[in-house]
Every structure is written in structure tokens, then in C-alpha cells.
């Protein structure tokens, strides 16, 4: 399973007024092809069809170019997570369980942005705009965790919301990386990324004592049934 996405390089050089966009698109294509660390500032200029000196009109160096791409990625990432969380509708647990799959979908659909965001080695704290975009995206996961932590059953110690957010982020990020490498030599996995994440989140929530049962929308008063985990699929067929 490969999550690579073909970001085609621009076919023509820039004309007046679109040099910055041409460079961003060229760099995004190079990231998709070679990874965030696999190209130089000169490579981006060559791919955009401009002189090696031209990129300096808009970017101080390669790191600033990468930071701009990563910032755009985090902005798109925030929008994806916000839509998935939907302010906790129709209920907190269901909304919370949508966040992880949205994370995986973004990693699959936008691998070049994802690489710039998480694999470029850029410290976000040296770029205020990149840092702010990163924090806004993570704040969606944290807000969901805070809402979920408030539902801690009586008698169960309430876990710190930040810790919960970091746990879910680590789980989703690890699975995205595991499935997104496209390494033919890796161990073949018996389930999809989504199924693995669903099982992990379910085990995590149950371990904290959160109710994970679902009630029938047709009969809300009927006894709640535990969700069937991905590991039950074979036994059910």
C-alpha cells in the first residue's frame, strides 16, 4: 500500500507575478519525489524553470521555502481535523473517533505536505507563523481530548487531557508513518491502517474506563451493544 501522491512539476517557467507559487509547487513536487531532505534550493529553482538566484526574491533559503510549505500543510491539516471533530457532534465519543481516521486520510492524500510538516527536521519554534499553524492543528486534537476527559466515569481518575491528546496523536502518527513508507521489504500487515487505528483507540478508551458502547438510533432505550472490533471481522464471516 503506497500513500505517495504525484505532485507534477510545473511544465513552464514563471512569468511576472507567480514566482513564489511556482517555487512552492516545484518544491512540493520534489518532496513527493525525493522526500523533504532530498533536494536543494537550486533544485527547486531548476524545477521551477528559473535561475538559481531567483528564489532569493521570496525566500531566505531552502529552510524558509520548506517552512512555507509546512505552514500550508498545517493549515490544510487543521481544516481536515476541524471538519472531522465538528465540535463534538453528534456526541463526544463518536466525534473523537473520527479525528484519527481524518489524520490518516490527510497523510495518505497529502504525503508531500505531510513530509514537509513532520519529516523536514525544521524546528517550528524558529518560525512564528509555522509554529502558530502547527499549534492550531494540534489544538483540535487537544480540544477533543479535553471534551472526552470531562466524561470520565465516576470513580475513575481523570487523565490529563494533554496526555490523552499526545497519546492519540502518537498512535495516529505512528500508524500513518508505518503505512506511508511504501517500503516493499516491510512486514506485511494483516489489517488496514484505519482498522489498526480503530482497534488501538477502542482499547485505549476502554482501558481508561470510557463507555464505548453504541445505542441504536432507532431505539435509544435499547441496551447498548459493544462495538465490533476489526479483529472480529474474520470470525463474523
Amino acid at each position: 500500500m503506497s500513500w505517495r501522491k504525484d505532485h507534477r512539476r510545473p511544465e513552464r517557467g514563471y512569468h511576472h507575478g507567480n514566482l513564489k507559487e511556482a517555487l512552492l509547487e516545484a518544491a512540493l513536487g520534489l518532496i513527493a519525489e525525493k522526500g523533504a531532505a532530498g533536494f536543494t534550493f537550486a533544485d527547486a529553482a531548476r524545477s521551477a524553470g528559473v535561475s538559481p538566484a531567483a528564489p532569493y526574491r521570496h525566500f531566505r533559503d531552502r529552510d524558509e521555502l520548506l517552512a512555507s510549505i509546512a505552514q500550508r500543510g498545517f493549515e490544510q491539516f487543521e481544516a481536515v481535523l476541524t471538519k472531522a471533530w465538528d465540535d463534538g457532534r453528534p456526541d463526544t465519543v463518536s466525534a473523537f473517533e473520527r479525528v484519527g481516521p481524518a489524520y490518516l486520510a490527510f497523510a495518505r492524500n497529502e504525503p508531500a505536505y505531510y513530509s514537509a510538516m513532520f519529516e523536514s527536521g525544521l524546528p517550528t519554534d524558529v518560525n512564528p507563523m509555522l509554529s502558530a499553524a502547527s499549534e492550531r492543528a494540534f489544538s483540535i486534537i487537544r480540544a477533543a481530548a479535553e471534551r472526552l476527559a470531562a466524561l470520565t466515569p465516576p470513580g475513575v481518575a481523570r487523565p490529563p487531557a494533554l496526555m490523552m491528546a499526545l497519546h492519540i496523536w502518537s498512535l495516529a502518527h505512528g500508524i500513518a508513518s508505518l503505512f506511508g513508507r511504501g517500503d516493499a521489504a516491510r512486514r506485511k500487515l494483516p489489517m488496514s491502517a484505519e482498522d489498526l487505528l480503530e482497534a488501538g483507540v477502542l482499547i485505549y478508551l476502554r482501558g481508561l474506563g470510557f463507555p464505548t458502547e453504541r445505542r441504536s438510533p432507532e431505539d435509544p432505550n435499547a441496551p447498548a451493544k459493544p462495538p465490533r472490533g476489526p479483529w472480529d471481522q474474520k470470525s463474523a464471516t
Side-chain angles (χ1 to χ4, degrees):
M1 175 181 177
S2 176
W3 286 5
R4 292 185 65 83
K5 186 175 182 180
D6 182 18
H7 286 273
R8 299 186 181 276
R9 300 181 189 181
E11 296 180 356
R12 297 178 298 171
Y14 80 96
H15 55 81
H16 181 68
N18 72 351
L19 171 59
K20 183 175 183 179
E21 289 302 315
L23 288 167
L24 289 167
E25 285 299 317
L28 199 62
L30 289 168
I31 294 170
E33 180 182 343
K34 302 180 179 182
F39 72 98
T40 65
F41 210 26
D43 289 335
R46 189 179 307 111
S47 183
V50 299
S51 71
Y56 291 99
R57 300 179 188 179
H58 291 286
F59 303 102
R60 181 181 63 252
D61 52 24
R62 176 182 174 278
D63 282 356
E64 188 168 71
L65 173 60
L66 265 177
S68 293
I69 293 173
Q71 179 188 334
R72 287 190 175 188
F74 276 115
E75 290 168 353
Q76 294 183 28
F77 191 41
E78 177 194 0
V80 167
L81 296 181
T82 298
K83 182 178 180 181
W85 169 236
D86 193 24
D87 198 28
R89 290 183 284 263
D91 63 83
T92 298
V93 174
S94 295
F96 184 84
E97 291 175 344
R98 291 195 303 264
V99 173
Y103 195 114
L104 297 184
F106 181 85
R108 177 191 294 112
N109 296 332
E110 301 293 346
Y113 277 121
Y114 193 79
S115 180
M117 292 155 59
F118 295 114
E119 299 173 354
S120 64
L122 292 174
T124 59
D125 57 356
V126 301
N127 185 307
M129 295 181 67
L130 174 57
S131 179
S134 173
E135 285 301 314
R136 287 195 302 270
F138 181 73
S139 71
I140 306 303
I141 301 175
R142 183 167 184 174
E146 287 174 348
R147 193 83 64 84
L148 189 65
L151 299 180
T152 305
V156 177
R158 176 178 296 183
L162 176 58
M163 182 181 294
M164 288 181 62
L166 290 171
H167 286 164
I168 296 298
W169 172 65
S170 299
L171 182 59
H173 188 76
I175 292 174
S177 297
L178 180 66
F179 279 81
R181 294 299 181 184
D183 182 3
R186 72 168 188 228
R187 180 177 180 180
K188 186 176 181 179
L189 300 172
M191 59 176 61
S192 69
E194 287 76 13
D195 283 347
L196 186 59
L197 180 62
E198 179 185 351
V201 171
L202 183 63
I203 292 169
Y204 179 74
L205 294 180
R206 284 179 175 175
L208 292 175
F210 288 102
T212 55
E213 293 77 12
R214 294 288 181 270
R215 295 187 182 276
S216 168
E218 292 80 14
D219 186 3
N221 296 319
K225 297 181 179 180
R228 192 180 72 185
W231 53 83
D232 293 330
Q233 290 178 354
K234 289 184 179 180
S235 61
T237 58

